[in-house]
């Protein structure tokens, strides 16, 4: 009888030990992902939601409303808009190129003193074009990537509402409002959330749809900690004098993890931007200056094909 009781006790103790490990792991999981360490959740959601392959790692843990709150995604119609103030028109032929460095990133910024030098070519192939191809074909000095693409297999098809030569050539059907950035007839970078009718009324020479807005009317937009995660970034801004800032930050590399939206914003603000908007990032982020690739794209193919580009002559 005693032997049987001892066997039962051993089995019971063994099962308890077997249950303790998963119970501890479960409690640890709950503490990490739902506990008091809010900054970890911000970090986790921003890192996963800004990559196309790993969004499920956040979506299976949190509601979409909470995810939107953490990544700072707001309704397009609630975005601020560039006002009607005029530029100083302090323009000349100056172009400067500089390397920038932060604690977790490195990148490059080009300042173009005359916004009339910029233009917005579109892909000539369904699979898109490399940035160098845009530069060579259009006899440009350099430029950056711009819009996102619709499908992986056809990167030449642009995502989002797009204006070229004053005409809307592509439309986004996801809602009535669109977060836009582009240059109007007075060469002012105008950003904000607009309806299609308002986009037409702005008389854009060329414009693209992307997000988020970084700076509007000299004021920084608000972001949660780690917003966007650490990733390769591309952005465009304009100073009160009308000078244009083209910015690319490398990421997903040992020497440069990448930048958050707030860090991108800080760089442009420090360089005098009064209006600025984020462009397509990740493996698409690239910059050409004086005909040569300036940065180190994170794509496994070295460079990604693009639906369009912002160039300057």
């Amino acid at each position: 009888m005693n032997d049987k009781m001892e066997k039962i006790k051993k089995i019971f103790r063994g099962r308890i030990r077997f249950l303790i490990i998963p119970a501890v792991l479960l409690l640890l999981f709950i503490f990490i992902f739902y506990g008091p360490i809010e900054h970890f959740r911000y970090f986790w959601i921003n890192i996963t939601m800004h990559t196309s392959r790993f969004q499920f790692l956040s979506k299976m843990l949190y509601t979409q409303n909470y995810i939107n709150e953490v990544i700072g995604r707001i309704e397009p119609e609630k975005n601020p808009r560039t006002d009607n103030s005029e530029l100083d028109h302090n323009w000349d032929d100056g172009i400067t190129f500089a390397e920038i460095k932060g604690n977790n990133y490195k990148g490059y910024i080009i300042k173009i003193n005359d916004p009339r030098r910029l233009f917005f070519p579109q892909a000539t192939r369904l699979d898109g074009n490399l940035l160098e191809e845009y530069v060579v074909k259009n006899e440009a000095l350099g430029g950056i990537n711009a819009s996102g693409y619709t499908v992986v297999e056809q990167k030449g098809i642009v995502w989002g509402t797009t204006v070229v030569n004053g005409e809307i050539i592509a439309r986004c059907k996801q809602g009535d409002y669109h977060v836009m950035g582009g240059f109007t007839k007075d060469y002012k970078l105008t950003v904000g959330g607009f309806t299609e009718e308002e986009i037409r009324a702005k008389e854009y020479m060329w414009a693209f749809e992307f997000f988020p807005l970084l700076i509007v009317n000299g004021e920084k937009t608000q972001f949660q900690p780690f917003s966007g995660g650490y990733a390769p970034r591309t952005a465009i801004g304009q100073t009160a004098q009308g000078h244009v800032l083209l910015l690319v930050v490398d990421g997903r590399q040992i020497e440069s993890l990448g930048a958050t939206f707030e860090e991108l914003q800080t760089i442009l603000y420090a360089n005098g931007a009064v209006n600025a908007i984020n462009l397509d990032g990740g493996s698409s982020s690239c910059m050409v200056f004086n005909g040569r690739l300036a940065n180190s794209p994170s794509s496994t193919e070295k460079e990604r094909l693009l639906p369009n580009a912002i160039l300057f002559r």
Side-chain angles (χ1 to χ4, degrees), residues 216-257:
V216 185
N217 302 323
E219 298 291 332
K220 295 179 180 179
T221 54
Q222 298 300 308
F223 292 113
Q224 297 279 18
F226 306 111
S227 186
Y230 297 109
R233 302 281 180 212
T234 302
I236 183 171
Q238 189 177 38
T239 70
Q241 294 74 34
H243 304 164
V244 178
L245 305 170
L246 305 180
L247 173 64
V248 164
V249 172
D250 286 333
R252 299 173 186 165
Q253 302 168 38
I254 295 175
E255 63 274 17
S256 183
L257 296 178

Side-chain angles (χ1 to χ4, degrees), residues 129-159:
N129 297 93
L130 296 175
L131 183 56
E132 289 97 328
E133 292 177 329
Y134 285 107
V135 170
V136 171
K137 181 178 177 61
N138 293 279
E139 298 181 347
L141 294 176
I144 56 174
N145 65 292
S147 300
Y149 50 84
T150 302
V151 292
V152 174
E153 296 78 13
Q154 295 180 322
K155 295 185 178 70
I157 301 178
V158 66
W159 175 87

Side-chain angles (χ1 to χ4, degrees), residues 3-303:
D3 290 342
K4 286 184 179 181
M5 288 300 297
E6 284 299 320
K7 287 182 180 180
I8 291 172
K9 288 179 181 179
K10 285 182 181 179
I11 293 171
F12 184 71
R13 285 195 293 266
R15 287 180 177 178
I16 288 178
R17 292 194 193 100
F18 179 77
L19 292 173
I20 285 175
I21 295 174
V24 170
L25 292 175
L26 177 61
L27 290 173
L28 184 61
F29 174 85
I30 293 172
F31 177 81
I32 291 174
F33 288 97
Y34 299 98
I37 310 176
E38 193 174 52
H39 271 50
F40 176 82
R41 291 199 295 275
Y42 286 161
F43 177 78
W44 177 268
I45 291 173
N46 276 290
I47 287 292
T48 56
M49 288 301 297
H50 288 90
T51 61
S52 57
R53 289 179 292 178
F54 300 112
Q55 292 184 2
F56 73 94
L57 293 174
S58 283
K59 290 182 176 180
M60 68 182 184
L61 296 173
Y62 307 106
T63 66
Q64 189 61 52
N65 285 339
Y66 182 70
I67 290 172
N68 288 344
E69 178 186 335
V70 170
I71 65 178
R73 182 176 294 167
I74 62 175
E75 296 298 322
E77 64 268 27
K78 295 179 181 178
N79 276 279
R81 303 176 175 189
T82 302
D83 61 25
N84 295 321
S85 61
E86 296 184 0
L87 300 172
D88 290 345
H89 290 171
N90 184 18
W91 304 343
D92 57 50
D93 292 334
I95 296 177
T96 57
F97 172 85
E99 183 177 358
I100 55 172
K101 289 186 177 181
N103 292 331
N104 43 269
Y105 65 81
K106 70 173 184 178
Y108 304 90
I109 189 167
I110 300 172
K111 182 180 179 184
I112 302 161
N113 290 357
D114 189 342
R116 295 171 296 186
R117 303 180 75 148
L118 273 71
F119 58 106
F120 188 46
Q122 306 299 300
T124 56
R125 301 194 310 261
L126 277 178
D127 62 342
N129 297 93
L130 296 175
L131 183 56
E132 289 97 328
E133 292 177 329
Y134 285 107
V135 170
V136 171
K137 181 178 177 61
N138 293 279
E139 298 181 347
L141 294 176
I144 56 174
N145 65 292
S147 300
Y149 50 84
T150 302
V151 292
V152 174
E153 296 78 13
Q154 295 180 322
K155 295 185 178 70
I157 301 178
V158 66
W159 175 87
T161 301
T162 308
V163 179
V164 176
N165 296 326
E167 297 293 331
I168 296 177
I169 65 165
R171 289 175 170 82
C172 177
K173 298 179 180 178
Q174 299 174 2
D176 296 328
Y177 281 80
H178 311 280
V179 181
M180 302 293 297
F183 285 81
T184 52
K185 290 184 176 180
D186 58 355
Y187 300 96
K188 183 176 181 178
L189 176 62
T190 300
V191 302
F194 307 109
T195 63
E196 183 171 319
E197 290 74 19
E198 290 171 329
I199 293 169
R200 293 183 185 277
K202 287 294 178 185
E203 296 187 323
Y204 278 116
M205 292 187 299
W206 54 269
F208 49 83
E209 181 172 0
F210 217 78
F211 57 88
L213 303 180
L214 301 172
I215 304 169
V216 185
N217 302 323
E219 298 291 332
K220 295 179 180 179
T221 54
Q222 298 300 308
F223 292 113
Q224 297 279 18
F226 306 111
S227 186
Y230 297 109
R233 302 281 180 212
T234 302
I236 183 171
Q238 189 177 38
T239 70
Q241 294 74 34
H243 304 164
V244 178
L245 305 170
L246 305 180
L247 173 64
V248 164
V249 172
D250 286 333
R252 299 173 186 165
Q253 302 168 38
I254 295 175
E255 63 274 17
S256 183
L257 296 178
T260 64
F261 290 141
E262 188 173 12
E263 287 172 326
L264 204 64
Q265 177 189 70
T266 299
I267 296 167
L268 291 165
Y269 191 82
N271 281 274
V274 293
N275 290 294
I277 185 172
N278 179 62
L279 297 167
D280 192 19
S283 298
S284 296
S285 288
C286 55
M287 172 185 283
V288 168
F289 183 71
N290 282 341
R292 299 182 62 181
L293 188 66
N295 72 310
S296 300
S298 64
S299 173
T300 55
E301 302 169 356
K302 187 58 180 175
E303 289 182 65

